[in-house]
Amino acid sequence: MDYTLNCNGQLLELNTPQVMGILNVTPDSFYADSRQQTEHDVAKRAEEILVQGGSIIDVGACSTRPDSVPVSESEEMERLRWSLAIIRREVPQAIISVDTFRPSVARMVVEEYGVDIINDVGAPANSQHDMFRMVSRLRVPYIYMSRKSTMRDILLDCAEVADKLRSMGQKDIIIDPGFGFGKTLEQNYEVMSQLERLKMLRLPVLVGVSRKSMIYRLLETNPEQALNGTTALNTIALLKGASILRVHDVREAVECVKILSKL
């Protein structure tokens, strides 16, 4: 898609799909190998994402795995301050996004650490408008994730949200159809099968299926054995128009992009 994100003055072109590498500073993320709990591990993971070809580091400090209980706002902020200070020191040129559903956290990470993108992992309905107002004031690209269960409802939801955000002055909007959120196994695959329909919104689409249960439940394995299935779905998503892949395994996703770009 011919779309450019303005990330604090850095222009990120999406005419070639980009890869977003996951860096979790939570002790309870569903995929154990993604948990970074020491300064050394955070620095190593941040550098690894860039070396392997990722263009965005996506930092999460509050697990959204099924049945998880969100940590307090103060705990989420503490984890982010600790990890973002390390990342900014070790890879100051990196484009960083932060996963959060809290407007106050979004403000803190942008104002204190110059975070480039807010990746909204699903603000509760009663605070969603507050998040919209916050990102519009902060003037950073915003990823909206829909928890709707069918493509029809995702399209209606995202179109409505995009209109609201534009009315508030928000420029860069990315749509995430929310694989694994508010959907059954069958609904996840139905949405994937119709992913190209999101093109009608004329907004970049982020796909995050990395090692999720929609893969390992179908294949009767576990997150540790879900890389091959992740690669298969990432390839399908790229063919259907995805602009950003959010992944644990950066090198493999970058290879998918390179091969399909060559085609």
Side-chain angles (χ1 to χ4, degrees):
M1 184 177 187
D2 187 14
Y3 199 102
T4 302
L5 299 179
N6 185 346
C7 301
N8 284 318
Q10 288 193 69
L11 299 182
L12 184 62
E13 302 282 350
L14 299 182
N15 52 350
T16 297
Q18 301 297 312
V19 174
M20 171 188 282
I22 297 168
L23 195 164
N24 284 324
V25 290
T26 55
D28 56 345
S29 296
F30 78 92
Y31 177 45
D33 286 354
S34 72
R35 304 168 191 165
Q36 314 300 329
Q37 294 294 290
T38 70
E39 182 173 338
H40 170 77
D41 287 344
V42 169
K44 180 181 176 182
R45 175 58 177 164
E47 185 175 356
E48 176 183 76
I49 289 170
L50 300 183
V51 167
Q52 291 186 358
S55 53
I56 307 167
I57 299 172
D58 191 51
V59 184
C62 180
S63 177
T64 56
R65 66 180 173 79
D67 303 320
S68 63
V69 178
V71 297
S72 67
E73 181 178 304
S74 60
E75 176 68 17
E76 185 181 7
M77 285 187 174
E78 183 178 339
R79 292 175 179 179
L80 285 168
R81 286 190 170 105
W82 171 74
S83 57
L84 291 171
I86 298 167
I87 297 166
R88 282 299 187 211
R89 184 188 71 219
E90 298 296 325
V91 286
Q93 78 282 13
I95 293 175
I96 301 174
S97 67
V98 163
D99 289 20
T100 188
F101 60 88
R102 293 178 168 123
S104 57
V105 173
R107 183 183 66 232
M108 183 275 289
V109 297
V110 172
E111 292 181 349
E112 295 185 20
Y113 295 93
V115 161
D116 304 279
I117 301 169
I118 295 299
N119 184 7
D120 188 347
V121 291
N126 60 353
S127 66
Q128 190 179 74
H129 189 73
D130 291 339
M131 179 63 93
F132 294 167
R133 287 191 302 177
M134 180 58 69
V135 294
S136 299
R137 183 172 70 80
L138 294 170
R139 294 290 192 267
V140 293
Y142 173 64
I143 301 168
Y144 173 74
M145 185 186 76
S146 178
R147 291 177 179 256
K148 301 298 184 182
S149 58
T150 68
M151 180 54 74
R152 176 185 178 276
D153 288 343
I154 291 170
L155 282 166
L156 292 172
D157 180 37
C158 291
E160 181 182 357
V161 166
D163 284 345
K164 286 181 181 177
L165 287 165
R166 290 189 184 106
S167 72
M168 295 176 179
Q170 178 65 17
K171 302 296 183 183
D172 290 327
I173 305 165
I174 303 101
I175 297 302
D176 177 355
F179 290 104
F181 292 87
K183 301 167 184 65
T184 65
L185 180 66
E186 291 74 19
Q187 287 169 336
N188 278 306
Y189 282 95
E190 288 171 4
V191 170
M192 179 62 79
S193 74
Q194 303 173 54
L195 192 69
E196 67 277 6
R197 293 180 62 190
L198 290 175
K199 291 179 183 179
M200 69 179 65
L201 296 173
R202 302 188 63 80
L203 291 170
V205 174
L206 178 148
V207 168
V209 295
S210 185
R211 297 182 181 268
K212 286 187 174 179
S213 63
M214 65 180 288
I215 299 169
Y216 64 79
R217 283 175 55 205
L218 178 67
L219 302 179
E220 298 180 348
T221 56
N222 54 48
E224 287 68 31
Q225 296 174 296
L227 175 56
N228 190 51
T230 297
T231 300
L233 286 182
N234 280 339
T235 303
I236 292 167
L238 291 170
L239 288 168
K240 288 177 173 286
S243 296
I244 303 173
L245 298 178
R246 181 180 180 273
V247 300
H248 298 95
D249 307 279
V250 173
R251 187 186 306 280
E252 290 79 358
V254 168
E255 289 176 353
C256 283
V257 172
K258 286 182 177 179
I259 290 170
L260 287 174
S261 296
K262 189 66 173 176
L263 291 176

